[in-house]
Amino acid sequence: MDDVRKWRQKAAVYRLIAAFYAGDLSAGQEAVARIGTLLGITLMVPPLDDDGRYDFNRLFVGPQKLLAPPLESYYRNVEHLPMQAETLAVRAAYSEAGLELTERNKIPDDHAQFEFYFLSCLLEAVCRYQGETLAVQAAYAYQRFLQEHLLLWVFAHLRAVDKGCSSVYCRHVAGAIYEFMRWEKEAAHHEV
């Protein structure tokens, strides 16, 4: 039962991080609070202000060159181009789980918002279908996606955020995500 509670907490964190990358900047504050609770540490983030909003756009949205593109393909291929083999591999993982993006090709499938959201869905399925074959399949898909995708690029991305940050808000949110992903990396070898 403790594992299910932990998986639900992690699913909520992943969903909040996904919302943050989708542009709901206030979800960053809630994610930081939940990460702190989950990890048993005190994490703080200042209130969101105009500097944080501006910084978010500089880092992840544009219109200028992004300082920390939130795309797996950017960090995993030599040319740093979106919509490469990495994107198609992520799309295949979604498809294998029975999911497809509704607005396909508008935002690359390997965007952080979708990868974090996908992991939250898999963890929610583990909890929902507890004791059934679907739970085992979702747990396996979660572990596999984490190890074959997100953990291979997210730390480089978060270091780019730290380097390109000009606001305390974005730096603290990224720092909390970094701690959470470090914890996930350590846990990935022991779970499920």
Side-chain angles (χ1 to χ4, degrees):
M1 194 55 95
D2 229 15
D3 284 342
V4 173
R5 187 174 60 82
K6 183 176 71 174
W7 291 333
R8 280 196 178 108
Q9 289 174 325
K10 287 180 4 174
V13 168
Y14 276 114
R15 191 169 291 262
L16 287 164
I17 296 170
F20 173 74
Y21 277 104
D24 178 1
L25 275 63
S26 63
Q29 288 177 305
E30 181 66 22
V32 170
R34 294 220 184 184
I35 290 167
T37 300
L38 185 62
L39 302 184
I41 59 177
T42 302
L43 295 172
M44 303 290 288
V45 65
L48 178 61
D49 59 10
D50 287 341
D51 288 341
R53 287 182 193 87
Y54 176 75
D55 208 21
F56 180 88
N57 287 325
R58 287 177 54 249
L59 293 163
F60 311 129
V61 180
Q64 286 83 17
K65 182 181 178 192
L66 304 183
L67 298 178
L71 301 168
E72 177 177 340
S73 51
Y74 179 84
Y75 300 94
R76 293 199 53 213
N77 73 58
V78 178
E79 295 85 20
H80 302 292
L81 297 172
M83 298 301 292
Q84 300 301 305
E86 298 81 11
T87 308
L88 299 177
V90 167
R91 184 178 291 170
Y94 298 163
S95 180
E96 193 175 306
L99 300 173
E100 183 177 325
L101 298 180
T102 55
E103 295 189 34
R104 197 169 170 177
N105 295 327
K106 273 191 157 185
I107 300 173
D109 301 53
D110 64 338
H111 192 283
Q113 69 177 306
F114 301 132
E115 291 200 14
F116 282 106
Y117 187 79
F118 180 59
L119 288 169
S120 77
C121 291
L122 292 172
L123 287 169
E124 289 164 2
V126 169
C127 297
R128 186 177 313 116
Y129 299 108
Q130 191 179 38
E132 298 177 31
T133 304
L134 280 174
V136 174
Q137 292 170 336
Y140 175 75
Y142 156 77
Q143 285 283 1
R144 187 172 164 208
F145 190 83
L146 192 61
Q147 292 176 355
E148 294 179 5
H149 293 284
L150 193 59
L151 290 176
L152 297 179
W153 69 275
V154 74
F155 296 108
H157 165 68
L158 293 168
R159 283 189 297 275
V161 172
D162 187 58
K163 182 180 177 186
C165 250
S166 62
S167 73
V168 176
Y169 183 82
C170 288
R171 179 169 277 111
H172 282 223
V173 172
I177 295 169
Y178 189 94
E179 290 304 316
F180 174 66
M181 294 311 304
R182 202 171 67 153
W183 181 77
E184 276 287 84
K185 183 177 181 177
E186 291 172 17
H189 301 292
H190 307 290
E191 271 187 354
V192 190

